[in-house]
Amino acid sequence: MLTKETYEQFKEKSSEYFKKAGIVISEEEMEKFQVAEFGLGCPETIGLELVVYVNTDRCCAKELVLFPHQTCAEHRHPPIPPASDRKGMDGKEETFRCRFGEVYLYVPGEPAPEIKAEIPKERAEYFTCRHEIILHPGEQYTLAPDTLHWFQAGPEGAIVSEFSTKSMDDDDVFTDPMINPQLKRNI
Ligand code: ZN
């Protein structure tokens, strides 16, 4: 469980990152600042910070902040089956665009001989993708729906703009069985 103290600390640190990157976030938007900690209790290592600009039935945009070597857990966005209270839809398509720092993104494919990310030791077996994409400011990558992925910031941290179809938290599938999708936020 995330403590209020950690939340406030991460919020303040994230504001500094936004300033450093020249990204203006209004006070009102900052009120809705979120920390995704995945229920693992180690948000400094496996977690990320975010501000959601928009999330409608058709599109979603947000800024993600990652502190140095902070990591987003491996997951995918599967198709959503129809249910009594909703229509079915394709899984979420995501584009990550680096705005500040350096991002190491991993997807299925030819593994890199030596990856740049530091795999979180305590949960190492749940980071399986090794095909490496390195993003610098102004570089971006689009993930097809249902593609397994995880990512980590480089040594100076990172800001990533994410553009996607609708974000549906509860339906994401994580490799780590300890992760409860209902405890994570919109990634
Ligand atoms: Zn994702």
Side-chain angles (χ1 to χ4, degrees):
M1 198 50 199
L2 191 74
T3 63
K4 183 144 179 57
E5 199 186 342
T6 305
Y7 173 84
E8 292 299 339
Q9 199 190 332
F10 280 21
K11 189 177 178 181
E12 182 137 354
K13 212 161 133 185
S14 297
S15 292
E16 286 165 22
Y17 272 73
F18 287 131
K19 276 194 200 106
K20 219 164 21 176
I23 294 172
V24 178
I25 305 285
S26 72
E27 268 177 46
E28 204 182 335
E29 286 166 335
M30 224 36 208
E31 289 300 308
K32 290 183 266 173
F33 172 81
Q34 298 174 33
V35 177
E37 64 110 20
F38 305 104
L40 294 176
C42 52
E44 297 84 1
T45 317
I46 305 176
L48 78 159
E49 294 66 53
L50 60 146
V51 173
V52 179
Y53 294 128
V54 63
N55 187 21
T56 69
D57 279 345
R58 306 177 76 172
C59 74
C60 179
K62 55 185 87 163
E63 300 294 355
L64 313 178
V65 177
L66 294 141
F67 303 140
H69 296 294
Q70 199 183 19
T71 304
C72 176
E74 187 174 87
H75 66 282
R76 62 190 170 85
H77 306 283
I80 311 292
S84 56
D85 58 343
R86 68 180 184 200
K87 281 193 288 186
M89 63 173 94
D90 290 339
K92 183 185 176 208
E93 180 192 272
E94 289 178 335
T95 297
F96 294 126
R97 182 177 176 91
C98 180
R99 300 291 194 185
F100 168 82
E102 191 175 43
V103 182
Y104 313 133
L105 171 65
Y106 298 91
V107 296
E110 175 141 9
E114 200 179 329
I115 65 169
K116 291 198 83 172
E118 296 171 4
I119 294 183
K121 282 190 193 68
E122 64 278 14
R123 315 298 299 164
E125 64 193 290
Y126 306 118
F127 292 88
T128 65
C129 298
R130 292 287 184 280
H131 183 71
E132 185 174 68
I133 296 137
I134 301 177
L135 299 175
H136 298 103
E139 295 174 342
Q140 64 184 44
Y141 188 83
T142 299
L143 291 159
D146 216 13
T147 304
L148 203 56
H149 57 287
W150 65 278
F151 51 95
Q152 182 176 101
E156 51 171 349
I159 296 183
V160 175
S161 295
E162 182 191 313
F163 310 99
S164 72
T165 53
K166 186 177 178 61
S167 198
M168 306 271 286
D169 292 356
D170 299 352
D171 297 278
D172 297 344
V173 176
F174 284 84
T175 305
D176 188 335
M178 285 286 284
I179 296 180
N180 177 350
Q182 291 173 17
L183 286 178
K184 64 105 204 156
R185 296 279 181 273
N186 298 318
I187 29 119

